[in-house]
Amino acid sequence: MNTVIEQWTAVRERIHAACVRCNRRPQDVKLLAVSKTVPFARVAQLARAGQVDFGENYIQEALEKIQAAEIELADLKEAPFSYPVWHCIGPVQSNKTKWVATHFDWMHTLDRFKIAERLSDQRPTELAPLKVLIQVNVDQGHTKSGIAPDAVLPLAKAVMSLKGLSLKGIMTMPDFHPDYDTQVDKHKIGKAVFDHVLQETGSPEWDTLSMGMTQDLEAAVEAGSTLLRVGTAIFGARLAA
Ligand SMILES: *Cc1c(COP(=O)(O)O)cnc(C)c1O
């Protein structure tokens, strides 16, 4: 067996063990393989092994892989739920929204209504609405991506009215902390925001909590994550970009 497949299998076992440990059903926690900087050949290999969701950060790099997949993985479209589902997990400037709206299935980094409006307007009508997540900054006081927890509900309500989008939930990326309980506490802030919006809106589409990466996925599972974004543990260390 090849290392990427072995490492992917080991990650799935980690997720399974984390679910068992906190009494969650493994089918409720999905794995998103973060393939930024990873050559298409390895993405294709993993797709053929059964990995469906892929996350990319850089639009140009992603578009090349999405196009390559259209040709080289076309046969996977014949089987249900096996062709890659593309998630944009990097920041998106307004001059790039068109690429996201036309080529991706998901976008995790929504932080402004203006971007949401552009994505909705630019989503081709023949495609299903673009699935989006609001990025939430759970590290108060730090200057980083995402909006404050108390700004999520108003933005969510506004985005829910847009026809070209399906608002699925939130994404968080807490600062890494080596202490497990601290990791869980950070992820619980995301979980509380997620639950609050669900309670206030009752939206049937609101079902995705994207949190947890290579170093903190067990804590994310414990806090209630439904989508883990894992790169390094599957593909190995990335070269500095
Ligand atoms: C790179 C990246 C990941 C994956 O991080 P790893 O530590 O390699 O698992 C997850 N989410 C986002 C938003 C990323 O940019």
Side-chain angles (χ1 to χ4, degrees):
M1 232 198 325
N2 152 296
T3 36
V4 170
I5 305 294
E6 277 171 10
Q7 287 168 178
W8 175 66
T9 304
V11 168
R12 293 164 73 217
E13 285 165 6
R14 261 177 83 182
I15 297 168
H16 194 274
C19 287
V20 168
R21 202 171 56 82
C22 49
N23 279 315
R24 294 195 55 200
R25 300 187 309 166
Q27 65 266 37
D28 294 340
V29 184
K30 276 219 271 185
L31 172 60
L32 170 57
V34 175
S35 47
K36 63 184 170 216
T37 79
V38 173
F40 175 72
R42 287 203 272 160
V43 170
Q45 185 185 29
L46 207 55
R48 292 203 176 279
Q51 175 64 33
V52 173
D53 292 279
F54 290 91
E56 289 282 342
N57 291 61
Y58 312 109
I59 305 293
Q60 187 54 43
E61 181 192 343
L63 294 180
E64 286 167 19
K65 290 179 198 169
I66 291 170
Q67 267 179 348
E70 288 287 342
I71 298 161
E72 295 184 33
L73 298 174
D75 58 298
L76 293 182
K77 286 193 174 170
E78 284 156 31
F81 310 114
S82 57
Y83 189 77
V85 170
W86 300 102
H87 298 242
C88 175
I89 63 170
V92 177
Q93 286 156 350
S94 49
N95 62 347
K96 299 276 176 62
T97 53
K98 179 144 202 190
W99 298 111
V100 176
T102 49
H103 293 284
F104 283 85
D105 304 292
W106 288 73
M107 194 273 208
H108 289 220
T109 52
L110 194 64
D111 60 359
R112 275 171 289 165
F113 186 66
K114 182 177 159 238
I115 295 280
E117 260 184 323
R118 287 178 67 89
L119 288 168
S120 178
D121 290 346
Q122 292 168 338
R123 183 67 168 173
T125 47
E126 68 271 21
L127 297 181
L130 179 69
K131 298 181 175 79
V132 295
L133 302 174
I134 294 172
Q135 185 174 357
V136 184
N137 177 4
V138 294
D139 298 292
Q140 280 92 349
H142 289 237
T143 49
K144 51 184 259 182
S145 312
I147 64 173
D150 60 8
V152 177
L153 183 60
L155 179 59
K157 285 182 171 164
V159 172
M160 282 172 185
S161 69
L162 298 173
K163 296 277 172 288
L165 305 182
S166 169
L167 182 62
K168 301 291 289 175
I170 64 169
M171 183 272 252
T172 73
M173 190 162 47
D175 291 340
F176 176 69
H177 196 287
D179 177 60
Y180 181 82
D181 293 333
T182 307
Q183 292 173 18
V184 175
D185 288 346
K186 283 280 177 73
H187 286 313
K188 279 186 177 164
I189 298 173
K191 170 69 168 155
V193 171
F194 177 84
D195 287 347
H196 179 63
V197 174
L198 182 61
Q199 196 180 8
E200 293 293 320
T201 65
S203 168
E205 289 161 40
W206 187 267
D207 61 9
T208 302
L209 182 47
S210 167
M211 53 183 202
M213 322 198 321
T214 290
Q215 289 187 298
D216 62 0
L217 70 85
E218 284 83 2
V221 169
E222 177 166 341
S225 173
T226 70
L227 186 58
L228 303 166
R229 308 180 310 273
V230 180
T232 309
I234 297 173
F235 296 110
R238 289 179 290 274
L239 299 174

